[in-house]
Amino acid sequence: MTKKKLFLIHNHKNFSGAARSLGETVISLRKKMEFVIICPQGSSSKFFKSLNVNVIEIKFVPRFNHFESGYYRGLRWLMLIREVIVFIYFFFFLISLKLRYNKVNRFHLNELELIILAPLIKFFFDASITSHLRSPLEVKKGKKRYKFLKFLSKSYLKYIMSIDADCYKTSPLKKITKIVYNGINPKNIITKRNKRENITFGFIGNFIKRKGIYETLKVFQKINTQKKVKLICVGKTSNSNFVLNLFGYELNFEKFLKKNNFNKEKNIKILPMTFDLKKFYSNIDVILFPGYMNAVGRPVIEASFLKKPSIIALNKYNRDTAMKNNCLIFKPGDLKSFEKQILYFIDNKHKIKSLGISAFKNAKNKFDIVKNSKKFFRLI
């Protein structure tokens, strides 16, 4: 039996939950499908190579950002200059891909912001195109841009795979949108609880503003003057986006740590990014997802499988990934509310166990990698 061949395009060079989720799908389906992953060179491509699949590393991938947390406004419009240049670069890359493979039947975009590539792909290949939708789109502002996404979806996409109900609500074309939850293989994150005296909170992700790392550190620095509590942060410390750095949309993480004397904070550990998260999860009790995306990230789901509850930056509870009985939430950017939820767990330790068990039951039902990868396979 001939395997289906799928070309996957990933959007970011820095390793993230989206890359890990794609990797889990690849591992689950490798007996049924042959994968070729196109990815900017960086920690993401390094991760994909570790899966022993064919990875084509490139310098850039063009994107069209219309997410709640990053849509074009103010100086962010200057980012389009980058996208136009990279769009031209990707045109020539597809010429080389056409010469190398000639016929490609299937492409999958690992995030809807890559939909800007769809016309180019269709120009060179008679292929079906599907896409993930991993973050909520902005639906109130930039309505012409939203209509543009709807046009592209209608013209070029076979299906959109939304990772949860919140993302589904913002899909530009719901009639081709299906919910396909992220999948978890529990064997990859099985942990043993290490003994510890104090409650330990965990943060994992790139150390950039939209992930909420700066706010997290400030809140814990304040809490540590009153309570005995630990924080472990695992992530990448650098950001090389020249435009964001130039106009102050990004901070220098190392300078921030030095300026605020975090080297003196004995209860706050900052560790480099790793692909093996077993040790990280073994040492924490509660996972934090405090960013500005108004979304539920993969760390929340992974922690749920380990019976660990979460504190999520989310406007409101939802019906599938962040329900009242398995996590606490606060409005993105509301530091007082964030601090209040952290203190709630510190002062009510029994709630960590009860919410963790509830989160596990929900995760076991929704995030089974075998079931969800089968649905992915059917839609490709």
Side-chain angles (χ1 to χ4, degrees):
M1 181 178 174
T2 304
K3 291 182 180 180
K4 284 184 180 180
K5 193 169 189 174
L6 177 63
F7 281 68
L8 299 159
I9 304 179
H10 184 63
N11 51 337
H12 284 290
K13 68 176 184 178
N14 292 331
F15 181 66
S16 64
R20 183 174 287 278
S21 293
L22 184 63
E24 288 279 14
T25 302
V26 168
I27 293 169
S28 180
L29 292 174
R30 67 194 329 161
K31 290 182 179 179
K32 293 183 178 181
M33 301 190 77
E34 180 184 350
F35 295 96
V36 178
I37 302 178
I38 299 167
C39 177
Q41 186 176 15
S43 53
S44 286
S45 62
K46 185 178 179 181
F47 167 71
F48 292 133
K49 284 182 177 181
S50 73
L51 306 180
N52 295 317
V53 295
N54 188 358
V55 178
I56 300 175
E57 292 180 309
I58 56 177
K59 290 184 178 180
F60 312 103
V61 177
R63 307 186 291 262
F64 187 79
N65 188 333
H66 194 57
F67 298 124
E68 279 187 18
S69 62
Y71 68 95
Y72 302 118
R73 58 200 184 274
L75 291 172
R76 279 190 174 270
W77 280 106
L78 292 173
M79 292 294 295
L80 282 178
I81 299 172
R82 181 257 185 204
E83 307 310 338
V84 170
I85 296 170
V86 176
F87 189 84
I88 297 169
Y89 162 82
F90 203 83
F91 175 86
F92 287 103
F93 163 73
L94 285 179
I95 292 176
S96 66
L97 193 71
K98 178 71 174 179
L99 292 172
R100 182 175 174 181
Y101 289 98
N102 187 27
K103 187 178 181 181
V104 177
N105 295 322
R106 299 174 188 86
F107 280 88
H108 180 73
L109 312 175
N110 202 30
E111 183 55 279
L112 195 68
E113 67 176 356
L114 295 174
I115 197 172
I116 198 72
L117 301 175
L120 284 182
I121 292 171
K122 282 290 190 180
F123 180 79
F124 286 102
F125 301 97
D126 182 20
S128 65
I129 306 172
T130 52
S131 177
H132 256 94
L133 177 57
R134 297 185 180 278
S135 299
L137 296 172
E138 175 58 47
V139 296
K140 294 180 180 178
K141 298 179 181 178
K143 291 188 176 181
K144 288 183 179 179
R145 279 168 272 165
Y146 188 78
K147 286 181 180 179
F148 177 58
L149 292 178
K150 184 175 183 178
F151 167 76
L152 291 176
S153 299
K154 189 174 183 180
S155 301
Y156 299 106
L157 296 186
K158 178 183 176 184
Y159 286 112
I160 297 171
M161 302 181 201
S162 169
I163 65 167
D164 58 28
D166 284 344
C167 290
Y168 177 85
K169 290 175 186 175
T170 69
S171 172
L173 195 62
K174 290 185 177 61
K175 69 178 183 180
I176 65 165
T177 304
K178 309 292 182 181
I179 294 179
V180 182
Y181 294 112
N182 283 326
I184 302 287
N185 184 342
K187 293 179 182 178
N188 294 338
I189 54 173
I190 289 176
T191 63
K192 292 182 179 179
R193 190 185 189 280
N194 294 331
K195 290 183 179 180
R196 46 187 172 269
E197 294 180 5
N198 303 319
I199 296 175
T200 303
F201 294 80
F203 172 99
I204 183 164
N206 292 311
F207 296 156
I208 54 178
K209 284 179 71 174
R210 67 187 178 90
K211 295 288 187 178
I213 180 62
Y214 296 100
E215 292 79 0
T216 300
L217 290 171
K218 286 179 179 178
V219 167
F220 272 87
Q221 192 174 47
K222 180 183 177 182
I223 289 175
N224 272 331
T225 63
Q226 314 158 28
K227 306 277 186 177
K228 286 186 177 181
V229 62
K230 289 187 176 181
L231 171 68
I232 299 175
C233 301
V234 172
K236 186 173 174 61
T237 60
S238 62
N239 186 303
S240 58
N241 192 310
F242 175 76
V243 177
L244 291 179
N245 291 334
L246 181 64
F247 293 103
Y249 281 101
E250 220 27 274
L251 298 175
N252 184 300
F253 186 70
E254 299 297 340
K255 286 183 179 179
F256 171 83
L257 295 180
K258 189 175 181 180
K259 182 181 178 181
N260 292 279
N261 298 313
F262 279 101
N263 60 314
K264 297 179 181 178
E265 297 290 340
K266 294 181 180 180
N267 288 330
I268 296 176
K269 287 186 178 180
I270 298 172
L271 305 172
M273 181 62 79
T274 177
F275 299 149
D276 185 357
L277 299 176
K278 292 180 182 179
K279 186 176 180 181
F280 169 73
Y281 284 120
S282 294
N283 288 311
I284 70 165
D285 301 293
V286 179
I287 194 75
L288 305 173
F289 198 75
Y292 288 84
M293 292 84 72
N294 188 34
V296 179
R298 185 178 179 85
V300 172
I301 298 166
E302 289 176 335
S304 296
F305 258 103
L306 301 170
K307 300 180 181 179
K308 299 176 190 289
S310 52
I311 300 176
I312 313 166
L314 206 61
N315 285 331
K316 58 182 179 180
Y317 288 102
N318 61 34
R319 63 180 175 84
D320 54 4
T321 56
M323 297 183 289
K324 282 186 178 180
N325 62 342
N326 59 23
C327 66
L328 299 178
I329 66 170
F330 68 97
K331 288 204 172 184
D334 187 344
L335 298 192
K336 287 185 178 180
S337 180
F338 184 25
E339 180 183 350
K340 181 180 178 182
Q341 302 297 49
I342 294 167
L343 291 171
Y344 177 82
F345 275 135
I346 295 171
D347 296 333
N348 300 275
K349 293 180 182 179
H350 65 284
K351 284 292 184 179
I352 294 176
K353 184 176 180 179
S354 62
L355 266 68
I357 291 172
S358 178
F360 170 73
K361 290 177 181 177
N362 183 56
K364 192 176 180 181
N365 178 49
K366 290 189 176 74
F367 307 117
D368 178 76
I369 185 61
V370 176
K371 181 176 68 175
N372 294 343
S373 62
K374 282 181 180 178
K375 189 171 184 180
F376 177 92
F377 182 79
R378 290 196 300 269
L379 295 175
I380 289 297

